[in-house]
Amino acid sequence: MLDELTIHELRSLLRAGEISSKEIVAAVYAKIDQVEESLRSYITLCREEAMAEAKRADGMLAKGEASALCGIPLAIKDNLSTAGVPTTCASKLLKDYVPPFDATVVARLRSVGAVMVGKANLDEFGLGSSTENSQVYPTRNPWDLSRVPGGSSGGSAAAVAAGEAICALGSDTGGSIRQPAAFCGVVGLKPTYGLVSRYGLIPAAASMDHVGPITRDVRDAALVLQEIAGWDPKDPTSVKMQVPDYEAALTGDIAGLVIGLPREFINGDDVLDPEVKEAMFGAANVLESLGARVEEISLPHAKYAMATFYILASAEISSSLATFDGVRLGSRAEGAKDTVSMFTKTREQFGQEAKRRILVGTYVLQADNYDTCYLKAQKVRTLIREDLERAFQHCSVILSPTAPTVAFPLGHRLDKPVVMYRSDIYTSIANLAGIPALTVPCGYTSQDLPVGLQLMGKPFDESTVLKVGHAYEGHACLPKRRPKMEVKTNG
Ligand code: GLN
């Protein structure tokens, strides 16, 4: 039972002395023992360390530690460095890597007494939208074990949905927090670029990578963000600013706010599942009933977001993965007879998707293609950002589906990369522009699969995004459902 509660519910029980962190951690591990064999949310579990950390957290609580995260078990995506605990990026290239330091976000959570349950599965280096590109094993969706949990933070989202963690950290380069959160029926937040430190996050595409929370409700997302946000001298892109009180923003009052609905997103009927569209319009009605004004807007360059994202992200990925050569970084392949074959054999260990990105990235950065591909995509990135700036002169938030479909069956898109890439059609725009974006569950399809609603906001205005998400969540009247963790057969 404890494994099904939210951070804020547990916070009250912990503060009242009715339960201990040790009990919560034990409940989470009991759930792991029950379901992990079928879900595979984790690559590494830290059972003993977690019990020791829970004991320490109970001591901190007894002394009045104020953080809501004290004593709360959480999953960490396995591309975030954790001192003394393997950090593999689900890649053969990092199978033996044990970082000597914690990522700043991990250090901050540990310092307030949060308990790390384990390292969550992902698509290799965060490249993918289904967690099937993990070189360890795929994770399954707790709502239907024959389907993907989304990706690339699929392990984090599945763990939170299934009760294998109370909350999790994910990373999001083009949608990797929001899309799996939507597929697993939980909340996910990609913060503004520069708000949360990336120090210790193993990069995919550094100009678009973000770290953020995956939680059971919006209040919990605010609570985790509160702990991880703020300037970090170790991250040169981190912004020095006063971090607002995010929980205080959850007033429920959204009367008079203008919410933009981009026509380019809802008219893409060829990709948008009608049930997802219906759920999103249902959510728009709820927001209007709370006094917000939903208005159609235009983001003329949004249709180029996905292509722009894959050109720029691949360019950056090809450069960040170039260091994995067995000399500078990465597990060196055994048995090579000379230096060149050592490099080759080492880099052959990359999975298919990583290789594809390296090839595409190298292509778009070649002298002959640089102007027509890379530079052009950078210009389109600016146009996309300008579209959003224009929209935000008038709107407080922008509403859209999180993904065009619900969770799809395992294996269905593995040999269709472009169909897989379309999972990010509504999310990658926020990464290109660096703006905050939240996904909140907004219903279920006739097949009982969760649908996510995306709310994007102005840079550093997480408060408004969370406020709208929280107000919606409180009035959505969604049926209370829990994942059944059963395999469904077709038909
Ligand atoms: N699905 C996108 C990709 O494969 C985004 C991944 C991510 O956000 N890490 O690149």
Side-chain angles (χ1 to χ4, degrees):
M1 233 327 250
L2 289 180
D3 56 281
E4 292 181 358
L5 300 183
T6 59
I7 300 172
H8 55 92
E9 288 164 343
L10 292 166
R11 166 176 67 178
S12 310
L13 294 170
L14 284 167
R15 287 192 183 160
E18 287 175 31
I19 54 164
S20 66
S21 171
K22 273 166 80 177
E23 288 170 275
I24 311 172
V25 173
V28 162
Y29 269 101
K31 182 55 72 67
I32 290 174
D33 289 339
Q34 223 180 319
V35 302
E36 179 59 10
E37 208 176 297
S38 32
L39 285 184
R40 302 263 191 211
S41 306
Y42 288 99
I43 294 177
T44 305
L45 285 166
C46 317
R47 195 182 296 250
E48 269 150 41
E49 298 89 328
M51 285 321 280
E53 284 176 24
K55 198 169 157 203
R56 190 174 73 98
D58 283 328
M60 290 168 76
L61 284 159
K63 288 198 200 112
E65 165 64 48
S67 168
L69 271 294
C70 187
I72 301 295
L74 86 165
I76 305 281
K77 187 175 181 178
D78 206 22
N79 58 356
L80 284 161
S81 304
T82 43
V85 178
T87 299
T88 69
C89 286
S91 176
K92 289 181 185 157
L93 274 298
L94 283 178
K95 62 180 191 310
D96 306 313
Y97 178 51
V98 181
F101 67 101
D102 275 333
T104 297
V105 285
V106 173
R108 287 192 181 171
L109 290 173
R110 281 203 215 253
S111 73
V112 296
V115 176
M116 182 170 79
V117 177
K119 302 298 295 289
N121 199 12
L122 67 156
D123 288 295
E124 185 185 18
F125 286 104
L127 309 177
S129 309
S130 68
T131 315
E132 291 166 294
N133 295 333
S134 165
Q135 288 193 312
V136 189
Y137 32 63
T139 297
R140 288 166 183 267
N141 191 313
W143 291 87
D144 178 346
L145 296 178
S146 69
R147 291 175 188 261
V148 302
S152 63
S153 312
S156 297
V160 174
E164 293 185 296
I166 303 300
C167 60
L169 288 185
S171 70
D172 190 312
T173 308
S176 279
I177 288 177
R178 290 159 286 158
Q179 186 254 19
F183 279 16
C184 292
V186 291
V187 168
L189 173 69
K190 181 201 85 66
T192 307
Y193 193 75
L195 180 65
V196 174
S197 169
R198 288 182 297 111
Y199 177 74
L201 168 71
I202 296 170
S207 83
M208 289 172 250
D209 292 341
H210 302 72
V211 181
I214 295 181
T215 57
R216 300 217 169 112
D217 68 7
V218 176
R219 182 175 300 276
D220 278 7
L223 294 174
V224 178
L225 181 64
Q226 198 71 52
E227 298 298 352
I228 60 175
W231 185 61
D232 176 13
K234 292 180 184 151
D235 174 356
T237 58
S238 152
V239 172
K240 221 173 197 170
M241 61 174 271
Q242 188 71 33
V243 176
D245 181 340
Y246 295 115
E247 195 178 15
L250 311 179
T251 58
D253 179 14
I254 60 163
L257 286 188
V258 179
I259 298 178
L261 184 54
R263 86 171 60 96
E264 291 80 5
F265 283 6
I266 45 177
N267 293 339
D269 277 346
D270 46 332
V271 292
L272 181 56
D273 179 328
E275 286 194 275
V276 172
K277 188 170 176 178
E278 197 186 312
M280 193 212 52
F281 276 113
N285 288 338
V286 172
L287 291 167
E288 288 205 308
S289 74
L290 296 172
R293 221 170 62 231
V294 178
E295 278 182 19
E296 204 171 285
I297 58 164
S298 174
L299 300 174
H301 300 92
K303 56 177 177 290
Y304 304 118
M306 198 191 90
T308 308
F309 170 79
Y310 277 97
I311 292 172
L312 297 178
S314 300
E316 293 186 34
I317 289 159
S318 72
S319 126
S320 52
L321 294 186
T323 45
F324 289 86
D325 55 13
V327 176
R328 288 169 292 178
L329 293 174
S331 300
R332 184 180 299 178
E334 300 296 328
K337 49 184 186 319
D338 54 41
T339 316
V340 172
S341 69
M342 186 271 287
F343 283 142
T344 316
K345 272 173 154 287
T346 297
R347 289 176 66 75
E348 267 170 12
Q349 298 176 100
F350 280 120
Q352 198 187 20
E353 188 58 32
K355 286 179 184 157
R356 189 178 286 131
R357 304 293 173 97
I358 292 169
L359 288 175
V360 172
T362 309
Y363 177 84
V364 301
L365 288 172
Q366 266 173 13
D368 283 354
N369 307 323
Y370 186 85
D371 285 353
T372 50
C373 291
Y374 183 78
L375 204 59
K376 192 166 226 166
Q378 286 290 20
K379 289 178 181 165
V380 179
R381 184 178 190 177
T382 302
L383 293 173
I384 289 172
R385 213 193 43 239
E386 287 172 354
D387 279 358
L388 288 163
E389 278 166 9
R390 218 170 297 121
F392 283 128
Q393 282 171 7
H394 176 64
C395 308
S396 296
V397 294
I398 294 175
L399 177 84
S400 77
T402 302
T405 68
V406 290
F408 45 87
L410 280 139
H412 267 211
R413 297 191 184 172
L414 266 182
D415 57 353
K416 302 182 197 78
V418 177
V419 179
M420 185 74 96
Y421 296 169
R422 270 194 221 132
S423 312
D424 304 313
I425 197 161
Y426 307 127
T427 46
S428 56
I429 183 167
N431 300 72
L432 290 165
I435 58 172
L438 176 76
T439 179
V440 187
C442 71
Y444 303 88
T445 61
S446 47
Q447 287 176 298
D448 243 357
L449 294 166
V451 182
L453 173 77
Q454 177 174 245
L455 298 163
M456 297 186 279
K458 298 174 190 168
F460 299 103
D461 193 15
E462 277 70 10
S463 296
T464 304
V465 172
L466 290 163
K467 175 161 78 174
V468 175
H470 170 257
Y472 167 71
E473 179 185 68
H475 291 85
C477 302
L478 299 180
K480 276 248 172 257
R481 291 191 200 172
R482 297 228 174 251
K484 290 186 277 297
M485 291 178 255
E486 280 164 11
V487 187
K488 280 191 195 145
T489 48
N490 287 333

